[in-house]
Amino acid sequence: MILTDIQIEAVRRFASPVRLEGLGPGLNVLAAPNETGKTTLLMALRAVLMLRHGSRAQAVKDLLPYGGGAPHIGLAFQWRDRACWLEKRFWNKSLARLDLGGERFDGEEAEEQLRTLLELDRNGRGEASGLWNALLVRQGESFAQPELAGAGHASVQACLEQTMQDATGVAAASALLGRVRERLGQLQTATGRPTGRFRQVQEDRDRAEQDLAALKARKVALEEDLGFLEQDRRMLREHESPERRQQEEETLHALRQTRERLRGLAVEEQALRATGQAVAQQAQAAAEEQAARRESAASLARLEHDLQTHGQDAAHLVQQAEAASARHARAQLATSQAVRAQQQARAVLHRVTRRLELARQAEALGHDRTVLARAQDAFAWIEQAQVDLASLKVDTAFMRRLAKATQAVEQARAIMQAQATMLVAQLQDGAAGRVTLNGQPCPSGRTLLAEAAELVVEGIGRFGIVPAIDRRDHAQKTLDDAQAAQSALLAEVGCASVAEAEALHDRRSTAEQHLAQAQATFAAILPGHPVEKAATTLATLRQNLAEAQAIHERAMAALQAESGAESGAGAQQPDLDNAQASRAEDEAAQRAEQARAQEQAAFTHATAAQAAAEKAGALCRQLEASCARIRQDLTARQTRESDPDLAARLAALLGQQATLEADLAAKVQLRESEPPLSVIESGIRRREEAQETMRATTTRLREDIRERETRVRMAEGDGLDEAIAEATRHLARVTSECEACARDRAALALLEQTLANAEKEQTERYLAPLVQAMQPAFSALFPGAKLEMNTRFGLSGLTRQRYEEVEHLSDGTREQIAVLVRLGFAELLHARGMPAVLVLDDALGFSDSTRMECLFDVLADAATRIQILLMTCRAEQFTPLGGRVLKLRQHKAVAAPG
Amino acid sequence: MKFLHTSDWQVGRTFSFVDDDTLGALQAERLEVIRRIGALARAQGAASVLVAGDVYEHETPTNRTLHQPMERMRQFPDVTWHLIPGNHDADTPEGVWARLAREGAVPENVRIHRKAEPVLIDEAQNAWLLPAILQRRHTLADLSAYMNDAPTPPGAVRIGLAHGSVVGFGNAEEGEHNPIAPDRAAQAGLDYLALGDWHGFCQIDARTIYAGTPETDRFGTGGAGGGEVIEISLPGHGAAPHIQRHRTGKYVWRKFENTMLTNAQDIAALESRLRGILPDNPGAVLAWLEVSGLLGVDELALYENTILRRLGGALACLRVSGAPQLSAMADDLDRLGCGGAVRVAAQTLLDQAQDGGEQADLAREALQRLFVFWQDTQGARP
């Protein structure tokens, strides 16, 4: 294919028709700035070749012009020396027309012809796909190697197979593989799980197995029912046998008779045993009576001996108790004496202590009196200071008022002086006296004249001076008022002048200091007592002091009276100090305590002796009582039955007991010759229970037989054997079918695997021509490099000094490789006699100048065989490439070239 | 006197190797043959039909299956049907016979014998029937032994009726169960001993005969043929019985063992043999092929088309065991191309098939499929 003319109208930015001029075989370059329509031109080219005219796919919508209208594209090309024209209009007024030499095809027929011509696949979106997708390279696509699928893959395969001497058959294998996978897909999923018919027969087989198992279980149950039914019927017949019943009744009757005989023997034996026991008890009682009498006599003799011994011991203990009591009385007397001595010593100590206390009280009273005197002095000082203060009325407030009045006078006077006329006289020596002012010798120096004055200079004349004072009267009045107020204020305190007032104020300040000192003194003497209540405080102190004094005096009098009393009683005590008295009291206390301890010991001893004497007395009395009681008891026994009578009765009882025991032994021997009664009763019970059990069993058997018969009838009605046979048949069929499916799947899987392996192997074989086709271009760009292709016709890596995977190469290198791979595809098509076109939009932007030169050489060489259309916005960079220079021109309408 | 002898109806029998339609037809025919027997009895003037056991296939048939043969026999009130239990329908306490008796479902012209004792069946001819009764599926005793001492009036015609295996005849294993002395007729002075259990006609001696099933039901019948009913004419006690075989079966069962196929001629011959069984009614033929051999690609396709598809549709049932194997030679592989991927795959599979081992059969099947797919894809190409 060689493109010769491209015309587009109403495609994106091109509302009106444009035409690409200059197209021809070999290298074609459209260099134009950005946004001049290069990409739109490529989109139009792809659309006219790949999109069906009736499509409403997004790819068609992307073609719609901005101003509305139906995209219209015309393409003139040469196909194997035939001039061809392809024209398509999309969207509303869709049309397709293909002129192949002299043949014309319209509509779908044109699409089918085009699809066949270009070996395109349909896909679902109205856009065909094939190898051409890899040859018309949009902006940005040139970085990646083309992904071939479907027809594109098949086209390359077809090209490669054609170039090989012996056919690889990969296409046929692919077709076959497709069929195999299709069939295999009917049996298993992509993950190998059964599906479709296979899965269905597997499920049928599982269900059939379950059904058969259930039926067989029912069969087993039925056979069990039949077995038990036979057994139950046999047992029932046996249970209901009259001979057996009669035999059992007779056995039971004989057993019952034996039981009655044994029971009679048992009653007689029991009576003999009871009589024998009664006689034995009587004999034992008589023997015990004899023994008791002998024991009582022995006890009496032993008690009498004990009584004599304990009577002697009791007398000795009474003597010891009396001696102990005497010792206790003496100890009590000594204790009372010691206690009295201790009381006296304690009284002495008490008096000495009180005397000391009274001395401390007297000392405290003296101190209180001193404090009171000092406080009274301080209070007198305060009163004097308060009197002085009351007489001095010039206080600080008054002084502030006076200062204010004085300030007013000074202010009024200053106003007057400020407006007064200043007279400066400087008299010469000897002139004094000759000059007078207001009749007075004129002073030398400065003189302020507030009033009109008259200066007389002797010999010279009289000068009148009138000061120019504004509102002089008012000023004067102000001064006068101020002075009057000041005078009135001074008169309040009886002062003639301010200085006198200040002197009085100083004196008042001194009086205030004196008062403060007196109050501080008072406060120091009586801390805690407010000065304001000093008089009251002093009165209270005086009263308290007088009361304390009276109490002290009364205590002293009482002590002296006690001392006098003791002196009068003769208990002359030396004057002891406190330590001596305390020591005497301690000694007296120790002596009293010793006396008490001795008394307690004596008391304890006396009490113990008394208790022992009493205990011995009580024992003697008890022994006496026991002896009396035994004597009384022996007398009573003898009275009831004398000893000889008792011995005779005991002998008779023993003889009777021996006779009874002999009779009992005979009875026991007779009973033991028979079967045990318990065994007979157990046998009777067992047979009675067996009869009862048999009746219950018979009932149960009848019910069981009824139930089983019912189940058997139901199974009969269901035709269980037939159902099992049918289920077995069904299972065999589905199992057979399942095995057939499994075998079919296994065979198909093996075939699929074998075919896939063969296809892969062959694909790898025929990649060699593709590598061969690409190698020159790659060698020019990457000298010495060996190519590694994969089965998807992509370049997986380069081996230069070492193997390098494409994905690890730089962006620029990968783009160059991608362009060369596409160029290789075009070369393949060319070799197959299908001249191809390679269109690159804005490619090779990342190539350096050296590589770019190489690429230009490669492209120029390829352009001698295939048509190449390069679109770029970098005209200067592609200028060295040469080739046809293309231009986009306005055009009248899309139409086949004349 | 004249009577018919039959056995082994085995009503309710199923066949696992046939499809549902054929199964229904076979089962229906096993009932329909009772009508044909009744009609034959009428036609031949036989007043009695002796059925030597195994009327039913199962001990617990469905109600419908239970009553169907009774109702067929009821349709011939002028014929008396004498039935005894067989090993498939032994006279157990809850078996089919007790069930029929319990339900009162036995027609008046049907006599079910459940006791081993002489029964007068033809007063005019003084003919006595001596039935042997199986009360369980298998027994090791010869239930016909009582016939030796069974009393019958002097000059009576004594006819034995039993179900079991004649000792020392045929399959030794089968002979262990329900044995019958081969000379029972002579020992017991029987004029005729009607036997059942073997499904094909089998004559032990002049007076001892297996009638076989009246409608063939298996490929190996145990005896010969099957599908027959025997007509016996007894002129009197001690006279030799006159025996005539009547064809009653509709379906023909044939088994072709060791059928070796190696070329197209073998296939054609096989087709000819199968079609020659019942040329006018191949739909009544059930055939079982045991096939082996080696066929080329084209012959294998021929086999599948001719035998499996066409004849499979023509016959009532075509059961096939084994299959001819693909004998792919270099010529066959060449049609796949000289060196293409498909050829390589085929060669790989062929090598695996020829190497033997577990994968060999699978590889052979895969190879067969490869050729089938190849032909399909080639046929699909324009």
Side-chain angles (χ1 to χ4, degrees):
Chain A
M1 174 186 269
I2 296 174
L3 306 180
T4 55
D5 195 0
I6 302 175
Q7 300 173 24
I8 59 175
E9 179 186 3
V11 178
R12 290 165 63 95
R13 62 179 292 116
F14 298 119
S16 54
V18 295
R19 177 171 178 239
L20 185 63
E21 288 184 350
L23 270 172
L27 199 55
N28 297 265
V29 179
L30 172 60
N34 288 329
E35 299 192 353
T36 52
K38 297 189 297 297
T39 301
T40 301
L41 185 68
L42 180 56
M43 286 177 70
L45 184 57
R46 287 179 69 117
V48 74
L49 290 172
M50 318 292 286
L51 290 180
R52 300 178 75 81
H53 66 285
S55 170
R56 295 266 167 173
Q58 184 61 41
V60 175
K61 292 177 185 172
D62 293 341
L63 289 176
L64 293 177
Y66 305 148
H72 191 187
I73 306 160
L75 178 66
F77 59 94
Q78 280 197 321
W79 187 265
R80 293 173 179 162
D81 298 332
R82 284 189 293 177
C84 304
W85 171 250
L86 173 64
E87 181 180 349
K88 283 187 184 177
R89 190 162 55 216
F90 297 93
W91 213 240
N92 292 331
K93 302 172 183 175
S94 62
L95 73 81
R97 170 169 296 171
L98 176 62
D99 291 335
L100 284 176
E103 293 180 282
R104 165 163 293 187
F105 304 94
D106 288 307
E108 286 301 319
E109 196 180 7
E111 294 284 7
E112 287 305 309
Q113 283 293 328
L114 182 64
R115 195 173 66 82
T116 307
L117 198 69
L118 301 182
E119 295 183 345
L120 299 177
D121 261 350
R122 272 191 195 181
N123 66 19
R125 301 188 302 276
E127 184 177 10
S129 62
L131 189 55
W132 288 88
N133 297 63
L135 300 179
L136 307 178
V137 189
R138 286 181 286 213
Q139 194 173 35
E141 282 184 351
S142 58
F143 288 97
Q145 295 186 61
E147 285 287 337
L148 296 183
H153 195 269
S155 294
V156 177
Q157 275 186 340
C159 293
L160 294 174
E161 288 187 5
Q162 197 178 43
T163 59
M164 293 184 67
Q165 291 297 320
D166 53 343
T168 61
V170 171
S174 295
L176 207 57
L177 204 49
R179 297 291 297 272
V180 172
R181 282 173 177 157
E182 183 185 347
R183 280 290 303 278
L184 193 57
Q186 294 170 0
L187 296 173
Q188 68 176 29
T189 63
T191 56
R193 288 183 303 178
T195 186
R197 180 66 188 154
F198 189 19
R199 183 178 169 187
Q200 188 182 345
V201 295
Q202 276 190 336
E203 291 172 353
D204 288 349
R205 183 196 56 192
D206 294 344
R207 273 196 299 275
E209 284 175 346
Q210 290 171 3
D211 292 345
L212 182 58
L215 285 169
K216 285 184 174 174
R218 283 189 61 195
K219 175 70 176 175
V220 169
L222 174 62
E223 287 174 347
E224 185 178 292
D225 275 337
L226 288 170
F228 278 112
L229 196 56
E230 190 177 345
Q231 179 181 325
D232 288 353
R233 283 171 175 162
R234 194 168 59 246
M235 287 174 67
L236 188 61
R237 280 196 299 273
E238 197 174 331
H239 286 183
E240 290 178 336
S241 163
E243 296 82 8
R244 179 179 168 177
R245 283 191 177 182
Q246 185 181 355
Q247 184 183 357
E248 286 176 353
E249 285 296 335
E250 287 171 354
T251 305
L252 194 57
H253 180 68
L255 282 172
R256 282 173 180 155
Q257 283 182 333
T258 305
R259 180 181 64 182
E260 292 309 315
R261 190 169 64 251
L262 286 175
R263 280 179 178 171
L265 282 174
V267 168
E268 290 171 8
E269 181 184 330
Q270 188 65 30
L272 279 175
R273 204 180 292 279
T275 307
Q277 282 177 352
V279 170
Q281 283 175 356
Q282 289 173 6
Q284 186 177 0
E288 285 173 354
E289 178 65 21
Q290 266 189 336
R293 287 182 185 187
R294 281 196 292 272
E295 179 69 20
S296 294
S299 298
L300 182 61
R302 193 167 58 249
L303 286 173
E304 284 174 349
H305 177 262
D306 289 347
L307 181 60
Q308 186 180 1
T309 305
H310 287 297
Q312 292 171 354
D313 291 343
H316 180 66
L317 286 172
V318 168
Q319 288 175 356
Q320 285 181 342
E322 288 172 353
S325 296
R327 280 198 296 276
H328 179 228
R330 285 194 297 275
Q332 280 181 321
L333 181 61
T335 301
S336 63
Q337 288 172 349
V339 167
R340 274 199 302 276
Q342 183 191 8
Q343 288 172 345
Q344 288 172 355
R346 189 177 298 156
V348 170
L349 177 61
H350 182 62
R351 277 196 304 277
V352 169
T353 305
R354 283 179 63 193
R355 193 175 295 125
L356 285 173
E357 181 66 24
L358 287 174
R360 278 196 294 274
Q361 282 182 359
E363 188 177 351
L365 283 172
H367 177 262
D368 289 347
R369 276 194 293 274
T370 305
V371 169
L372 182 61
R374 286 172 59 197
Q376 285 174 335
D377 292 344
F379 183 64
W381 191 14
I382 288 169
E383 286 179 327
Q384 182 60 48
Q386 284 174 336
V387 169
D388 293 345
L389 200 59
S391 64
L392 294 170
K393 297 178 180 176
V394 184
D395 56 7
T396 304
F398 179 82
M399 285 307 292
R400 281 198 294 270
R401 290 166 55 199
L402 181 61
K404 197 171 180 182
T406 305
Q407 188 179 6
V409 170
E410 290 299 324
Q411 191 173 6
R413 186 172 289 141
I415 291 169
M416 287 290 290
Q417 286 178 353
Q419 292 181 349
T421 301
M422 180 179 287
L423 176 63
V424 181
Q426 192 170 6
L427 298 180
Q428 296 179 347
D429 295 339
R434 287 191 296 160
V435 181
T436 62
L437 181 64
N438 290 335
Q440 297 294 326
C442 181
S444 187
R446 294 182 178 185
T447 304
L448 287 172
L449 298 177
E451 300 288 339
E454 187 184 40
L455 182 67
V456 178
V457 181
E458 190 184 77
I460 299 300
R462 190 176 297 271
F463 302 88
I465 303 170
V466 181
I469 297 175
D470 185 25
R471 297 178 67 188
R472 181 172 176 280
D473 292 341
H474 176 70
Q476 186 61 53
K477 187 176 182 302
T478 302
L479 179 59
D480 291 345
D481 290 346
Q483 286 175 338
Q486 185 185 41
S487 300
L489 199 60
L490 289 171
E492 284 181 12
V493 295
C495 292
S497 65
V498 172
E500 190 177 353
E502 287 176 342
L504 284 174
H505 180 251
D506 291 342
R507 283 177 58 193
R508 181 178 173 88
S509 299
T510 305
E512 285 175 349
Q513 288 175 355
H514 288 167
L515 177 58
Q517 287 174 354
Q519 287 175 335
T521 303
F522 183 84
I525 294 169
L526 292 175
H529 294 282
V531 177
E532 295 79 15
K533 297 179 182 177
T536 309
T537 302
L538 285 176
T540 304
L541 287 176
R542 276 194 291 273
Q543 185 178 351
N544 293 343
L545 185 60
E547 289 173 357
Q549 183 68 38
I551 291 167
H552 177 70
E553 286 171 354
R554 282 198 297 274
M556 285 297 291
L559 182 63
Q560 286 173 355
E562 284 181 16
S563 301
E566 287 179 358
S567 300
Q572 190 66 36
Q573 294 288 339
D575 288 337
L576 299 174
D577 59 12
N578 190 38
Q580 288 170 333
S582 179
R583 196 161 48 245
E585 199 272 343
D586 287 344
E587 289 170 354
Q590 286 177 358
R591 282 194 295 274
E593 188 61 30
Q594 288 172 353
R596 282 192 198 96
Q598 288 170 355
E599 182 199 347
Q600 184 63 30
F603 175 73
T604 305
H605 188 254
T607 304
Q610 186 67 32
E614 287 175 358
K615 187 177 176 184
L619 183 59
C620 287
R621 285 189 297 276
Q622 188 179 358
L623 287 172
E624 283 172 355
S626 297
C627 288
R629 192 174 59 250
I630 290 171
R631 282 189 204 99
Q632 189 178 2
D633 181 53
L634 279 172
T635 305
R637 288 174 186 269
Q638 292 284 354
T639 304
R640 279 200 306 271
E641 186 178 26
S642 64
D643 287 343
D645 292 345
L646 179 60
R649 186 166 63 86
L650 178 58
L653 286 171
L654 290 173
Q656 189 180 355
Q657 185 182 4
T659 306
L660 286 171
E661 284 178 353
D663 292 346
L664 180 60
K667 287 287 179 190
V668 168
Q669 189 176 7
L670 179 59
R671 180 178 57 77
E672 286 178 349
S673 66
E674 295 280 348
L677 179 60
S678 61
V679 172
I680 297 297
E681 286 178 333
S682 173
I684 292 169
R685 201 163 45 245
R686 183 175 61 78
R687 283 169 173 75
E688 287 173 344
E689 287 173 357
Q691 282 186 336
E692 188 61 35
T693 304
M694 193 174 294
R695 280 191 287 275
T697 305
T698 304
T699 306
R700 184 182 55 76
L701 283 173
R702 288 200 181 105
E703 290 173 358
D704 197 31
I705 288 169
R706 259 198 310 280
E707 285 178 12
R708 292 188 189 280
E709 282 178 345
T710 304
R711 285 203 294 271
V712 169
R713 303 284 179 275
M714 288 174 63
E716 284 174 353
D718 293 343
L720 199 53
D721 282 343
E722 270 194 65
I724 288 172
E726 178 54 33
T728 306
R729 171 180 173 274
H730 179 60
L731 176 60
R733 288 180 65 78
V734 294
T735 301
S736 171
E737 193 171 355
C738 193
E739 288 169 355
C741 282
R743 191 141 191 95
D744 197 21
R745 179 174 75 153
L748 287 169
L750 177 61
L751 180 56
E752 189 253 348
Q753 183 63 45
T754 309
L755 276 171
N757 290 342
E759 184 201 38
K760 184 181 176 202
E761 183 185 332
Q762 292 298 91
T763 301
E764 287 169 353
R765 271 186 63 203
Y766 72 40
L767 280 175
L770 179 59
V771 173
Q772 195 176 357
M774 293 181 179
Q775 190 68 57
F778 273 87
S779 297
L781 206 58
F782 308 106
K786 291 183 178 176
L787 311 184
E788 294 282 344
M789 305 295 294
N790 59 33
T791 55
R792 298 187 308 279
F793 307 120
L795 186 70
S796 53
L798 282 176
T799 303
R800 287 182 277 193
Q801 289 167 345
R802 58 184 175 81
Y803 179 76
E804 297 168 273
E805 290 187 2
V806 168
E807 59 187 15
H808 294 152
L809 299 173
S810 69
D811 289 347
T813 303
R814 280 193 285 121
E815 187 189 17
Q816 292 148 18
I817 287 171
V819 169
L820 294 181
V821 167
R822 293 169 197 273
L823 199 58
F825 292 159
E827 294 270 19
L828 276 179
L829 284 177
H830 170 73
R832 192 183 166 203
M834 288 181 62
V837 178
L838 178 63
V839 181
L840 298 171
D841 182 13
D842 230 357
L844 308 173
F846 288 89
S847 300
D848 59 36
S849 56
T850 307
R851 286 270 174 88
M852 192 64 101
E853 284 294 324
C854 285
L855 274 171
F856 285 169
D857 292 340
V858 169
L859 291 173
D861 176 57
T864 61
R865 297 178 293 279
I866 57 177
Q867 186 184 27
I868 297 175
L869 172 54
L870 284 169
M871 296 190 286
T872 179
C873 58
R874 300 187 300 277
E876 69 289 350
Q877 195 173 4
F878 281 77
T879 302
L881 183 58
R884 297 170 189 274
V885 179
L886 306 182
K887 297 292 182 189
L888 275 168
R889 301 282 189 195
Q890 293 294 325
H891 190 53
K892 291 179 184 175
V894 176
Chain B
M1 69 172 296
K2 182 181 287 184
F3 60 90
L4 298 186
H5 170 201
T6 180
S7 71
D8 299 284
W9 295 356
Q10 295 192 242
V11 175
R13 183 176 172 83
T14 56
F15 305 95
S16 61
F17 50 87
V18 299
D19 58 32
D20 291 345
D21 293 341
T22 307
L23 174 66
L26 292 174
Q27 288 180 328
E29 208 57 38
R30 304 195 73 71
L31 287 169
E32 192 59 27
V33 76
I34 300 173
R35 285 171 49 80
R36 290 199 285 273
I37 294 169
L40 178 65
R42 275 181 183 161
Q44 299 301 323
S48 300
V49 177
L50 308 186
V51 186
D54 278 358
V55 172
Y56 295 98
E57 167 74 5
H58 302 297
E59 291 178 343
T60 52
T62 62
N63 283 329
R64 181 175 169 76
T65 305
L66 181 72
H67 292 286
Q68 277 174 329
M70 293 296 140
E71 294 308 311
R72 294 296 191 284
M73 290 185 281
R74 191 194 295 275
Q75 294 170 15
F76 298 90
D78 50 334
V79 177
T80 302
W81 305 72
H82 296 273
L83 276 54
I84 61 168
N87 62 314
H88 278 266
D89 51 6
D91 184 22
T92 58
E94 298 296 328
V96 287
W97 310 112
R99 193 172 154 195
L100 283 167
R102 193 172 61 237
E103 295 183 9
V106 182
E108 288 184 359
N109 61 323
V110 176
R111 298 186 64 180
I112 298 171
H113 301 284
R114 300 173 65 188
K115 285 186 178 176
E117 59 187 14
V119 179
L120 181 62
I121 62 170
D122 189 337
E123 193 170 359
Q125 300 290 329
N126 191 21
W128 291 74
L129 182 70
L130 283 73
I133 310 304
L134 268 173
Q135 291 182 319
R136 60 183 65 87
R137 190 175 184 87
H138 296 129
T139 176
L140 297 177
D142 184 348
L143 298 178
S144 67
Y146 90 97
M147 296 177 187
N148 292 1
D149 304 322
T152 52
V157 175
R158 289 165 63 90
I159 303 169
L161 183 60
H163 186 92
S165 300
V166 171
V167 178
F169 182 84
N171 189 303
E173 188 179 347
E174 288 183 2
E176 290 180 3
H177 300 304
N178 312 327
I180 295 171
D183 56 347
R184 177 62 61 205
Q187 287 185 37
L190 301 176
D191 293 294
Y192 182 75
L193 177 55
L195 295 178
D197 199 17
W198 286 67
H199 284 223
F201 173 83
C202 183
Q203 185 163 6
I204 306 300
D205 58 32
R207 299 179 186 275
T208 307
I209 289 177
Y210 283 98
T213 178
E215 181 63 52
T216 311
D217 60 358
R218 60 184 67 171
F219 291 100
T221 56
E228 293 174 310
V229 168
I230 311 302
E231 177 194 342
I232 299 99
S233 298
L234 280 173
H237 176 57
H242 179 260
I243 294 165
Q244 186 172 356
R245 298 162 65 179
H246 294 276
R247 176 77 196 171
T248 51
K250 174 184 174 183
Y251 286 99
V252 176
W253 296 57
R254 289 289 162 78
K255 184 173 184 181
F256 297 83
E257 296 176 340
N258 302 322
T259 306
M260 176 78 77
L261 301 176
T262 57
N263 52 44
Q265 288 74 24
D266 291 345
I267 296 168
L270 178 61
E271 183 188 13
S272 177
R273 287 175 64 194
L274 287 167
R275 288 190 183 280
I277 297 170
L278 280 180
D280 299 333
N281 186 16
V285 173
L286 289 89
W288 182 4
L289 304 182
E290 286 182 350
V291 184
S292 61
L294 290 171
L295 293 175
V297 176
D298 293 333
E299 287 77 15
L300 197 60
L302 178 66
Y303 166 77
E304 289 181 350
N305 279 327
T306 306
I307 305 298
L308 299 185
R309 293 175 192 159
R310 293 212 298 259
L311 271 175
L315 305 184
C317 170
L318 179 62
R319 183 182 182 186
V320 179
S321 300
Q325 301 300 319
L326 178 67
S327 170
M329 305 304 288
D331 291 347
D332 295 318
L333 262 55
D334 283 348
R335 70 178 67 185
L336 303 175
C338 297
V342 179
R343 167 68 184 261
V344 170
Q347 189 65 53
T348 304
L349 291 172
L350 183 61
D351 294 344
Q352 288 181 8
Q354 291 173 345
D355 285 347
E358 293 181 357
Q359 286 289 310
D361 289 342
L362 199 58
R364 197 173 293 114
E365 291 192 25
L367 186 59
Q368 281 181 253
R369 283 165 176 75
L370 185 147
F371 278 109
V372 171
F373 283 126
W374 175 261
Q375 286 171 347
D376 287 350
T377 55
Q378 294 305 301
R381 288 194 177 184

